[in-house]
Amino acid sequence: KVLIKHGFEIIHAENYSLKEQIEIMNNTSVLMSVHGAGLTNMLFMPSGGKIIELRLAGDNHNNCYFSLASDLELDYYYLQCQPNNITEDQHTADLKLDPKQLDHFLIFLENQ
């Protein structure tokens, strides 16, 4: 609900062909995703866009998307999320994020 309030469109990249994904990313100004391969779609965003990575709290070694965003001249942000399940593997963890924290962050981002 918070993302919709701030004008985000929620997509599942796996439901689109590569060509469609590239077209979507060419028109994307803010890309938010959990840490994972979906963030590589930033390759097709126009420079000056914003990346928001949802990371497992305490993760301080998976900085590949920060490096990629920097090379592509995209603004990079991340939010630390708590795991909602026992695993601490960020690729399988069910992450939870406080909606109020997300709302405040998106308001901040809109003013940048």
Side-chain angles (χ1 to χ4, degrees):
K1 292 179 181 181
V2 174
L3 293 174
I4 301 301
K5 171 185 166 186
H6 288 276
F8 279 77
E9 180 181 348
I10 299 169
I11 67 161
H12 300 273
E14 66 271 15
N15 294 335
Y16 297 91
S17 69
L18 177 60
K19 181 180 177 186
E20 291 169 322
Q21 289 179 43
I22 292 170
E23 289 172 3
I24 291 167
M25 289 299 117
N26 273 303
N27 295 301
T28 297
S29 59
V30 180
L31 173 62
M32 176 187 284
S33 181
V34 296
H35 176 88
L39 282 169
T40 58
N41 282 314
M42 74 174 80
L43 287 167
F44 307 111
M45 289 176 61
S47 61
K50 294 176 174 47
I51 304 301
I52 306 167
E53 180 179 6
L54 302 177
R55 295 174 67 158
L56 189 61
D59 174 16
N60 59 3
H61 61 277
N62 288 305
N63 297 314
C64 56
Y65 297 113
F66 165 73
S67 298
L68 182 57
S70 296
D71 287 344
L72 296 170
E73 299 180 1
L74 300 169
D75 294 335
Y76 173 88
Y77 304 88
Y78 71 93
L79 296 172
Q80 292 190 350
C81 305
Q82 295 300 318
N84 201 27
N85 53 8
I86 297 172
T87 182
E88 294 206 7
D89 176 15
Q90 63 187 3
H91 296 99
T92 58
D94 182 14
L95 302 179
K96 59 183 175 180
L97 181 60
D98 179 354
K100 289 181 183 178
Q101 177 189 6
L102 178 59
D103 188 49
H104 290 350
F105 174 74
L106 294 175
I107 290 168
F108 161 80
L109 198 64
E110 289 166 357
N111 292 312
Q112 295 300 305

